[in-house]
Amino acid sequence: MNYILMGPPGAGKGTQAKKIVEKFGIVHLSTGDMLREAKKSDEVISKLLASGQLVPDEIVVNMVKKRLEKGDVKKGFLLDGFPRTVNQARELDKTLKSENMKIDAVFFIDVHFEEAVKRISGRRVCSCGASYRVDFIPPKVEGKCDACDSELIQRTDDKENVVRDRLDVYEKQTRPLIDYYKNMGLLVNIDGLKSESEVFEDIKKRIIEAK
Ligand code: AMP
């Protein structure tokens, strides 16, 4: 059971990814999380993330290749935020082939531009991994995490001007992947405007049907 989760920033990929991996006992591979860890010791990556631009394919592809060599992925994995360019998708295909693995489905969660801007600019996160939306899922005490009481922060790349740049990057570089996976017969469209639990139910249903 190997899946890809795709969609514009703000589609709810991170939230859905957590639910999917927990439900199906597979490994969560988020290149965004890996890069946020890498930026702590890498100035170039840090600047790219803050600007909303993509990190060069070569860096991300190598990171994912190394991760796919670990034994735990054999129980199944969910790629979240990767691939983001057609070139990354081709490199992934080559890697999977050489490791005797394949992708079973690509879930594409779609939301329109303005909804994505609204969702991301209202997002606040905690270092413990919890995530809130000030307009929709606010914490009980403003600015504090319900789970661990730490200070909530806004990711630099969630500021509204950067969000618009990230969406622009998505339209130009990532959207072409929809056709790439449609042509391979792997694309599953998911309506991202539905509630969080409805989106999860839709994905879950498709995974169970395919098993
Ligand atoms: P995410 O958490 O998936 O929204 O990713 C946060 C940021 O990490 C993105 O805006 C990019 O700068 C970088 N990033 C994540 N995944 C990739 C990827 N597959 N290719 C290039 N850059 C990426």
Side-chain angles (χ1 to χ4, degrees):
M1 289 203 315
N2 303 325
Y3 304 102
I4 293 174
L5 199 55
M6 266 190 74
K13 294 189 299 294
T15 311
Q16 295 299 332
K18 280 190 197 128
K19 287 170 170 266
I20 298 166
V21 298
E22 197 182 306
K23 170 78 191 164
F24 294 98
I26 58 178
V27 180
H28 183 195
L29 304 181
S30 156
T31 44
D33 286 351
M34 293 178 202
L35 289 164
R36 275 184 286 280
E37 191 53 40
K39 82 170 184 181
K40 293 178 187 162
S41 56
D42 190 318
E43 189 68 14
V44 177
I45 291 181
S46 177
K47 283 201 175 122
L48 283 167
L49 259 65
S51 71
Q53 297 302 306
L54 293 186
V55 171
D57 284 349
E58 201 192 326
I59 297 178
V60 191
V61 166
N62 281 332
M63 224 169 57
V64 173
K65 264 188 193 165
K66 276 212 187 97
R67 186 60 188 84
L68 287 173
E69 281 165 12
K70 293 198 177 160
D72 61 347
V73 298
K74 295 283 179 250
K75 61 183 174 188
F77 60 82
L78 177 73
L79 279 165
D80 160 15
F82 181 90
R84 255 175 159 100
T85 64
V86 171
N87 181 41
Q88 289 180 12
R90 292 204 181 104
E91 290 298 321
L92 174 66
D93 288 345
K94 278 192 233 162
T95 306
L96 292 176
K97 205 169 172 194
S98 69
E99 300 280 337
N100 242 331
M101 295 191 281
K102 68 175 178 61
I103 296 296
D104 297 293
V106 177
F107 295 105
F108 169 58
I109 311 179
D110 203 10
V111 294
H112 57 78
F113 193 92
E114 286 308 326
E115 174 68 14
V117 173
K118 196 173 90 189
R119 287 185 184 186
I120 313 181
S121 37
R123 176 160 66 187
R124 298 292 180 276
V125 295
C126 178
S127 54
C128 77
S131 181
Y132 302 86
R133 273 182 56 196
V134 286
D135 57 337
F136 195 60
I137 324 163
K140 291 193 186 94
V141 177
E142 197 184 327
K144 296 269 184 195
C145 178
D146 292 350
C148 69
D149 208 35
S150 299
E151 206 73 37
L152 297 178
I153 56 149
Q154 182 175 38
R155 272 167 47 180
T156 324
D157 60 343
D158 280 352
K159 302 240 156 71
E160 188 166 337
N161 59 331
V162 183
V163 171
R164 290 184 181 274
D165 289 345
R166 285 167 67 196
L167 284 162
D168 194 44
V169 166
Y170 171 80
E171 286 301 321
K172 292 195 177 112
Q173 306 197 52
T174 308
R175 201 172 264 284
L177 277 177
I178 296 172
D179 279 341
Y180 182 87
Y181 287 119
K182 200 187 273 175
N183 292 337
M184 289 171 80
L186 291 175
L187 197 78
V188 178
N189 283 297
I190 302 287
D191 179 1
L193 292 177
K194 289 188 182 173
S195 71
E196 194 179 299
S197 54
E198 285 171 323
V199 170
F200 179 57
E201 283 307 312
D202 285 350
I203 298 175
K204 200 170 84 181
K205 202 170 115 214
R206 300 300 292 259
I207 292 181
I208 292 168
E209 275 169 12
K211 272 214 268 181

